[in-house]
Amino acid sequence: MRTSLALAVSAALVAGTALGLAPTAQAADTSIRFVDITGDGGTVLKANVVTPAGADATARHPVIVLPTSWAMPQVEYLAQAQKLADSGYVVVSYNSRGFWQSGGEIETAGPRDIADASKVIDWALANTPADPDHVGMAGVSYGAGISLLAAAHDPRIKAVAALSGWADLIESIYSGRTQHLQAAALLGGAGYLTGRPGPELQQILGDFLSSNLAKEEDMIAWGRKRSAVEQIDRINANGAAIMLGNAWGDTIFPPNQYASFYEKLTGPKRLEFRPGDHATAEATGLLGLPNDTWTSAHRWFDHYLKGVDNGVDREQPVQLKPRSDAGYEGYPDWKSVDTRRRTIALEDSEHIWANVDSGADGGIVMLSNLLDQFFQAPPTASIPLLPRAFAGVWQSERYGTPQRVRGTARLHTTVTPTAESGTFVAYLYDVGPLGVGKLISNAPYTFHGEVPGKAFSVDLDLFSTAYDVPAGHRLALVVDTVDPLYIEHNPTGAQLTFSSPTADPSYVSVPLRAE
């Protein structure tokens, strides 16, 4: 019932977004055509082409290909396409196969989707004044994932802007060996509402949401085929300049997997994180409004496709905007973000009962972190009132100075279960003088095949973030067993004990900005 409700609500939300977001205004000085492009295997892809004013066969222009986001119509990028065309680009945007009027079935960035991207490039070079030596790809969410994978297979792609996407599908929706329920339900519901999921996707989605552990290895193998991190050697060999942008609170594709992928890239690269949830950092730009993410993407393409000396290659390549009023911070690489750490000892043993939500939650997909983006209002919990039968709580001392959390907090603890399978979720809170905790980060962890009554150690990375804890506040680490964001695997009546053995003490390591 919970899964069906999530699918229905998710489908309704995406329907409103898809029908209400697409811009319709046409710039007076650009040419827009709606065309059919033959994709892989003869599948028809619905597309639109925007060319610079006065463009003809006498001159070539750099070209940018934009695959649509999951469940979005082909007019999704028109506002940005017009801006790019105004500055001299040919832009081809197409509806990914299986969605809306495009043919075929949804294959979730499978081999045919990647072949489609190359077919669209072929078409652009044959039917527009596109320059074959200056080809770029970009996209939001699904379009970002396809763009990264295409860069591994098509060496003609010289630059990519992958916004709110994934590089590791497993770490995105199955991190900590835990199904991200709301994320999967949102994607599944949107797919059925606006497209035609193929048999393989239907099977994978069904096995995933039903917690079919017998199919776990099949699901992981399916996800790896659709993860750019598995193609990192080919991407690096092709040498495309890669810009990655994401939101700290992305509840579909959390930031950790992008940061890890960024560190593996060897060519020109840039990583940007901002407040928000999935695709909310780019949303105003899709409406044609001023937008930092799209401004950076334009600068990226201007330099790597047009050769403009705009300084983007000389800036600190890692740009972070904290979840506050603070401006951007630049770092030479991701490793430099959390060079200073504060360790909080988790000395007291905590014994909790499973199957009951304590009130410590990660929020609602696409909503809670949107509120944090615009109003600095993350999910909250009254830490003193959390029921200790269902939540383990450890708190630090009050800090006399601000604690500028930057990067990835890490939990190390020892767990003793009463059942062979189980799930817990760890939360890091900023706790004010009245005991109200504002969520800084969280992450789930699921285990299977453990021996009841036998302790085992756990190392868990929480989702990366940038959050300023005010002076006079303290940090709290909370663990419980139920969160609406995730599927939990605790048998009825199960219990978990979190301890701190002398030989292997438990702690949470919090990354802090170097002052």
Side-chain angles (χ1 to χ4, degrees):
M1 182 180 297
R2 179 174 64 181
T3 300
S4 299
L5 178 61
L7 282 165
V9 172
S10 299
L13 288 173
V14 173
T17 302
L19 295 175
L21 182 63
T24 56
Q26 177 173 338
D29 55 351
T30 56
S31 171
I32 299 177
R33 290 186 292 147
F34 290 88
V35 300
D36 290 349
I37 297 176
T38 301
D40 184 59
T43 297
V44 174
L45 306 174
K46 296 295 183 178
N48 57 73
V49 185
V50 187
T51 53
D56 55 35
T58 62
R60 292 289 174 179
H61 300 264
V63 58
I64 296 176
V65 173
L66 302 168
T68 52
S69 304
W70 186 272
M72 293 298 289
Q74 63 156 305
V75 293
E76 175 187 9
Y77 299 116
L78 271 185
Q80 286 302 319
Q82 290 164 1
K83 290 178 181 292
L84 287 165
D86 286 342
S87 61
Y89 293 93
V90 171
V91 185
V92 182
S93 175
Y94 69 96
N95 243 129
S96 305
R97 69 165 52 224
F99 285 106
W100 296 86
Q101 290 84 19
S102 282
E105 297 175 326
I106 302 171
E107 297 194 3
T108 321
R112 289 187 173 180
D113 292 301
I114 309 311
D116 284 345
S118 290
K119 291 287 188 180
V120 172
I121 294 173
D122 293 342
W123 185 93
L125 297 179
N127 296 276
T128 75
D131 186 341
D133 295 324
H134 298 90
V135 176
M137 283 195 71
V140 175
S141 185
Y142 194 44
I146 290 175
S147 295
L148 287 175
L149 287 163
H153 292 271
D154 196 326
R156 294 175 298 180
I157 299 170
K158 304 304 182 186
V160 172
L163 313 177
S164 287
W166 80 92
D168 189 328
L169 196 55
I170 304 302
E171 281 302 308
S172 294
I173 61 173
Y174 196 51
S175 69
R177 207 180 176 185
T178 307
Q179 295 100 321
H180 293 211
L181 171 63
Q182 290 186 14
L186 177 65
L187 295 173
Y192 278 100
L193 180 69
T194 64
R196 299 167 299 282
E200 187 179 30
L201 175 57
Q202 294 181 46
Q203 182 68 49
I204 289 291
L205 189 62
D207 289 339
F208 187 83
L209 292 175
S210 65
S211 303
N212 187 353
L213 283 177
K215 296 291 186 178
E216 183 181 36
E217 289 304 316
D218 292 341
M219 289 186 282
I220 290 174
W222 179 87
R224 284 177 175 161
K225 290 179 182 177
R226 291 157 171 81
S227 297
V229 70
E230 300 291 331
Q231 303 287 329
I232 189 66
D233 290 341
R234 298 183 67 165
I235 291 173
N236 286 335
N238 287 342
I242 307 289
M243 172 187 159
L244 306 170
N246 206 351
W248 292 118
D250 194 319
T251 44
I252 296 181
F253 303 131
N256 302 48
Q257 47 94 28
Y258 247 18
S260 176
F261 176 70
Y262 172 83
E263 287 291 276
K264 296 178 174 67
L265 292 169
T266 58
K269 58 184 179 178
R270 185 177 178 92
L271 178 67
E272 300 184 352
F273 286 141
R274 299 176 175 84
D277 206 312
H278 183 65
T280 64
E282 300 86 22
T284 55
L286 293 176
L287 295 170
L289 301 174
N291 180 275
D292 286 358
T293 305
W294 284 104
T295 296
S296 288
H298 285 233
R299 294 180 66 226
W300 191 252
F301 286 129
D302 284 349
H303 181 74
Y304 287 103
L305 294 184
K306 294 169 66 177
V308 176
D309 185 12
N310 54 18
V312 72
D313 57 322
R314 296 188 296 275
E315 296 170 357
Q316 297 275 44
V318 175
Q319 293 287 319
L320 311 181
K321 190 177 192 304
R323 293 160 49 195
S324 63
D325 292 329
Y328 286 90
E329 301 169 357
Y331 299 85
D333 50 39
W334 178 250
K335 296 188 296 292
S336 301
V337 174
D338 61 357
T339 54
R340 188 168 72 97
R341 286 186 167 265
R342 180 183 293 275
T343 298
I344 301 171
L346 310 179
E347 297 175 342
D348 298 331
S349 180
E350 296 281 354
H351 182 84
I352 64 175
W353 290 81
N355 310 120
V356 176
D357 191 340
S358 70
D361 288 327
I364 301 172
V365 66
M366 296 292 292
L367 176 61
S368 297
N369 292 314
L370 180 67
L371 296 175
D372 186 37
Q373 176 183 354
F374 289 104
F375 304 108
Q376 295 178 31
T380 60
S382 176
I383 303 304
L385 297 181
L386 290 176
R388 296 309 197 261
F390 309 115
V393 179
W394 299 263
Q395 295 193 73
S396 71
E397 75 279 8
R398 295 188 187 278
Y399 299 117
T401 58
Q403 304 295 295
R404 306 191 189 282
V405 179
R406 300 289 187 273
T408 308
R410 297 185 174 94
L411 170 65
H412 175 78
T413 189
T414 295
V415 180
T416 305
T418 60
E420 66 173 12
S421 295
T423 298
F424 70 86
V425 184
Y427 309 87
L428 185 65
Y429 283 100
D430 159 24
V431 184
L434 299 180
V436 176
K438 294 183 177 181
L439 186 64
I440 298 174
S441 184
N442 77 97
Y445 184 89
T446 293
F447 58 89
H448 297 288
E450 296 294 338
V451 178
K454 182 177 180 180
F456 62 94
S457 62
V458 171
D459 290 289
L460 176 63
D461 283 357
L462 276 62
F463 299 135
S464 303
T465 193
Y467 182 98
D468 295 336
V469 179
H473 288 212
R474 66 178 77 211
L475 290 168
L477 190 283
V478 176
V479 293
D480 74 359
T481 62
V482 176
D483 189 311
L485 284 173
Y486 312 112
I487 291 178
E488 51 100 357
H489 295 263
N490 299 294
T492 301
Q495 304 167 50
L496 298 176
T497 299
F498 296 85
S499 59
S500 182
T502 302
D504 186 20
S506 295
Y507 61 87
V508 59
S509 174
V510 181
L512 300 176
R513 178 184 173 185
E515 300 297 337

